């Protein structure tokens, strides 16, 4: 099994560039499924998490308002907070170490892309942050919530400050997991290959819409995720594609 090496701060928080994460993600995929690094395709993120990384998985309601998408539990614990709809109250459950808990709302049919992205995100936490969390003292472990347990609850919305100089360690670790999810689901070299293989010629705005649709379809990710990935790789110009007005007609053009 591939084991990455990367720099960390003195407190154990990883120091990773986008290039570092892209390279690490592709090395994992090359070991997990070599074909995925030869031909652009959907990554089986469940198999990667459960069969390759050997993580456990559970499904619970993580809040009563759906504000959390997933959770990564790093150590055995009896105090994982969940919401019990039948009783309309919160409670604690026992969970084994290295367990991904996915919010039950992501099992809805129209949540496949968000589910896949969340799984990739939690894999990122396991890969980069498990050593930091298991070595910290109990009252230092949870950076995201006031819970003295070794776990991270990941919100639907990340409120990152625009000035990265103001980011906390927890901000950086959330960003690292976000980027890792994109790098696993849409490996950089395969995204570039997929775009090059799409020989559509037309006006730039239409061409960029086609690129977004192509990546969304090939890798089974959302239009939003495909847009941000292509913008981040410099393949399309930032903000040129209006995500909210993107229609299935553009996706169908890529069929």
């Amino acid at each position: 099994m591939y084991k990455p090496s990367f720099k960390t701060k003195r407190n154990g928080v990883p120091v990773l560039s986008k290039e570092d994460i892209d390279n690490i993600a592709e090395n994992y995929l090359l070991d997990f499924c070599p074909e995925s690094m030869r031909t652009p395709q959907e990554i089986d993120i469940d198999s990667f998490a459960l069969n390759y990384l050997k993580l456990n998985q559970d499904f619970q309601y993580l809040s009563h308002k759906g504000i959390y998408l997933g959770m990564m539990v790093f150590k055995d614990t009896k105090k994982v907070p969940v919401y019990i709809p039948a009783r309309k109250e919160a409670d604690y459950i026992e969970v084994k170490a290295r367990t991904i808990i996915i919010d039950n709302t992501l099992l809805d049919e129209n949540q496949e892309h968000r589910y896949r992205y969340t799984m990739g995100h939690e894999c990122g936490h396991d890969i980069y942050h498990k050593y930091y969390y298991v070595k910290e003292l109990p009252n230092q472990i949870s950076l995201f919530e006031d819970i003295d347990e070794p776990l991270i609850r990941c919100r639907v919305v990340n409120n990152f400050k625009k000035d990265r100089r103001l980011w906390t360690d927890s901000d950086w670790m959330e960003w690292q997991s976000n980027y890792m999810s994109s790098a696993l689901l849409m490996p950089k070299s395969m995204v570039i290959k997929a775009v090059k293989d799409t020989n559509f010629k037309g006006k730039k705005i239409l061409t960029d819409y086609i690129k977004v649709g192509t990546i969304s379809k090939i890798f089974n990710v959302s239009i939003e995720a495909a847009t941000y990935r292509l913008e981040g790789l410099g393949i399309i110009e930032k903000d040129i594609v209006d995500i909210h007005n993107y229609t299935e007609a553009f996706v169908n053009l890529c069929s």
Side-chain angles (χ1 to χ4, degrees):
M1 179 179 175
Y2 169 67
K3 292 185 179 180
S5 61
F6 46 85
K7 297 179 181 179
T8 64
K9 295 166 62 174
R10 292 184 64 182
N11 64 358
V13 175
V15 178
L16 297 160
S17 66
K18 290 181 178 180
E19 183 180 6
D20 293 333
I21 298 175
D22 278 321
N23 290 337
I24 290 170
E26 294 203 0
N27 282 328
Y28 266 115
L29 293 173
L30 190 61
D31 192 44
F32 163 64
C33 178
E35 180 59 28
S36 70
M37 293 307 299
R38 291 191 288 266
T39 304
Q41 61 188 266
E42 176 182 345
I43 303 300
D44 188 341
I45 195 64
D46 280 346
S47 181
F48 177 76
L50 305 180
N51 299 324
Y52 184 79
L53 294 182
K54 305 299 183 184
L55 296 173
N56 305 302
Q57 186 184 50
D58 193 10
F59 298 89
Q60 300 285 339
Y61 286 103
L62 298 178
S63 74
H64 68 294
K65 293 183 178 180
I67 61 174
Y68 299 108
L69 297 177
M71 178 186 293
M72 187 70 220
V73 180
F74 296 96
K75 294 172 66 176
D76 291 348
T77 176
K78 296 181 180 180
K79 290 192 66 177
V80 170
V82 297
Y83 179 69
I84 311 298
R87 304 205 309 257
K88 295 184 179 181
E89 63 182 18
D91 203 349
Y92 291 107
I93 61 172
E94 183 174 356
V95 178
K96 293 182 179 179
R98 300 190 70 222
T99 295
I100 293 175
I101 303 179
I102 298 294
D103 191 80
N104 275 323
T105 59
L106 296 192
L107 294 177
D108 293 345
E109 186 176 352
N110 65 345
Q111 293 296 312
E112 179 185 13
H113 291 151
R114 180 167 278 188
Y115 167 84
R116 285 170 49 74
Y117 193 88
T118 301
M119 283 294 291
H121 179 96
E122 303 307 335
C123 287
H125 279 313
D126 176 73
I127 290 167
Y128 295 120
H129 308 137
K130 59 178 175 285
Y131 302 111
Y132 172 84
Y133 277 89
V134 298
K135 76 178 180 63
E136 288 291 318
L137 296 173
N139 64 354
Q140 295 174 316
I141 284 174
S142 180
L143 299 181
F144 295 85
E145 297 297 325
D146 186 19
I147 302 169
D148 294 337
E149 287 297 326
L151 54 87
I152 295 177
R153 292 198 289 183
C154 301
R155 292 178 175 270
V156 173
V157 178
N158 297 127
N159 296 315
F160 293 129
K161 298 179 178 68
K162 289 185 178 181
D163 187 345
R164 293 194 174 192
R165 294 173 298 180
L166 302 178
W167 281 16
T168 64
D169 286 341
S170 61
D171 289 331
W172 280 111
M173 288 193 283
E174 275 296 276
W175 174 84
Q176 289 162 0
S177 289
N178 279 344
Y179 196 88
M180 185 62 168
S181 187
S182 294
L184 286 171
L185 295 176
M186 296 168 280
K188 179 179 178 178
S189 62
M190 291 297 98
V191 169
I192 293 171
K193 185 178 189 304
V195 170
K196 287 182 177 179
D197 290 344
T198 305
N199 296 316
F200 181 87
K201 297 185 183 298
K203 292 183 178 180
K204 180 170 178 54
I205 181 63
L206 183 56
T207 301
D208 283 346
Y209 269 102
I210 294 298
K211 289 175 183 176
V212 169
T214 298
I215 298 308
S216 172
K217 199 173 185 68
I218 290 175
F219 295 99
N220 192 17
V221 298
S222 69
I223 292 297
E224 183 177 17
T227 300
Y228 288 140
R229 184 62 165 152
L230 289 170
E231 288 176 349
L233 294 177
I235 295 172
I236 65 174
E237 294 180 17
K238 187 173 178 59
D239 298 327
I240 196 170
V241 175
D242 186 345
I243 298 171
H244 300 292
N245 291 328
Y246 198 105
T247 67
E248 288 300 315
F250 286 106
V251 178
N252 293 335
L253 285 172
C254 305
S255 301

